[in-house]
Amino acid sequence: DGGITQSPKYLFRKEGQNVTLSCEQNLNHDAMYWYRQDPGQGLRLIYYSQIVNDFQKGDIAEGYSVSREKKESFPLTVTSAQKNPTAFYLCASSSRSGGTEAFFGQGTRLTVV
Amino acid sequence: EDQVTQSPEALRLQEGESSSLNCSYTVSGLRGLFWYRQDPGKGPEFLFTLYSAGEEKEKERLKATLTKKESFLHITAPKPEDSATYLCAVQEGKGNKLVFGAGTILRVKS
């Protein structure tokens, strides 16, 4: 089955810890994205990558970091510099050419304890 | 700056009561407008892509339309299983990133 897999589904972070969220896709898509979703708000773009070894900051990149060493994988690290990390995180991928839909994973809910 | 505004924020319908959701946008060079459905605690599920004014797409009880400034998602004779949050997103001409609206929460009661 082709798709996007995010893990874990639930993640708990202590104050001051860095945590990494996994995102893997087998759709052969070049572009991958990380979004954050808070209650009552739309999806906000954290980082995106259009090709391996290249990525760009989105609208709310502060306190986050990413890597894109493989086409299939785009992990997101939530660092201790992110002051309000509790949220629902969504990974997506799309064909590199514009005008094509993005497909989403099932999300990771991160909670600070 | 690209903006996407969805209205209403929430909509309650009786089963069979048709209605429309609105997505207005300001973007320089629309490359595509996308509609998604999102169930609680899950990732958005793709519904439609619209590219140019006048275009329409249909799927079961849903029909999406596009003008130069807004898109509508028409729901005909909705059922309780249509209850979800409906998200609209636009892709502008410079790159691939999607800008999302805040969504419309739809509740259909039997």
Side-chain angles (χ1 to χ4, degrees):
Chain A
D1 261 337
I4 302 174
T5 301
Q6 289 187 242
S7 62
K9 188 171 182 180
Y10 299 97
L11 186 58
F12 297 90
R13 190 193 96 165
K14 293 182 180 179
E15 297 277 355
Q17 268 187 343
N18 293 354
V19 291
T20 297
L21 284 60
S22 170
C23 178
E24 303 276 333
Q25 55 98 359
N26 60 4
L27 299 168
N28 199 33
H29 285 164
D30 288 299
M32 296 187 75
Y33 314 81
W34 274 105
Y35 287 90
R36 170 180 171 141
Q37 188 174 34
D38 295 284
Q41 297 193 39
L43 278 64
R44 293 184 290 167
L45 184 64
I46 305 172
Y47 270 97
Y48 64 107
S49 167
Q50 300 200 60
I51 198 167
V52 174
N53 292 324
D54 187 45
F55 48 83
Q56 290 81 40
K57 292 182 179 180
D59 301 317
I60 54 166
E62 185 175 349
Y64 300 98
S65 65
V66 293
S67 62
R68 187 84 188 278
E69 297 176 1
K70 298 188 299 181
K71 187 176 184 177
E72 302 79 17
S73 179
F74 192 40
L76 173 73
T77 297
V78 184
T79 75
S80 57
Q82 171 49 240
K83 297 306 177 190
N84 185 23
T86 296
F88 190 48
Y89 290 87
L90 288 159
C91 178
S93 71
S94 70
S95 169
R96 188 178 179 187
S97 58
T100 57
E101 60 273 15
F103 294 95
F104 284 82
Q106 289 303 296
T108 293
R109 186 165 300 280
L110 173 63
T111 304
V112 174
V113 296
Chain B
E1 183 179 316
D2 300 341
Q3 283 197 324
V4 181
T5 304
Q6 291 187 247
S7 62
E9 290 184 12
L11 182 61
R12 289 188 175 188
L13 298 174
Q14 287 295 122
E15 185 172 3
E17 180 187 1
S18 301
S19 188
S20 296
L21 281 55
N22 177 263
C23 171
S24 63
Y25 63 91
T26 54
V27 64
S28 53
L30 181 70
R31 217 165 178 186
L33 184 141
F34 305 85
W35 282 99
Y36 288 85
R37 169 194 170 123
Q38 186 178 25
D39 293 304
K42 303 225 172 147
E45 174 190 345
F46 170 73
L47 293 173
F48 303 110
T49 306
L50 300 167
Y51 295 106
S52 56
E55 189 175 0
E56 299 182 352
K57 294 268 179 78
E58 281 190 73
K59 179 180 179 180
E60 297 180 357
R61 295 178 291 284
L62 300 177
K63 179 180 177 181
T65 62
L66 182 65
T67 72
K68 288 187 178 179
K69 294 184 179 180
E70 59 190 350
S71 177
F72 291 94
L73 185 65
H74 307 278
I75 303 176
T76 302
K79 298 182 177 182
E81 53 261 42
D82 293 322
S83 297
T85 296
Y86 290 86
L87 298 168
C88 169
V90 298
Q91 189 179 59
E92 50 85 22
K94 298 175 190 173
N96 285 1
K97 68 176 187 176
L98 296 176
V99 177
F100 281 83
T104 293
I105 302 171
L106 174 65
R107 291 289 176 261
V108 182
K109 299 189 79 173
S110 58

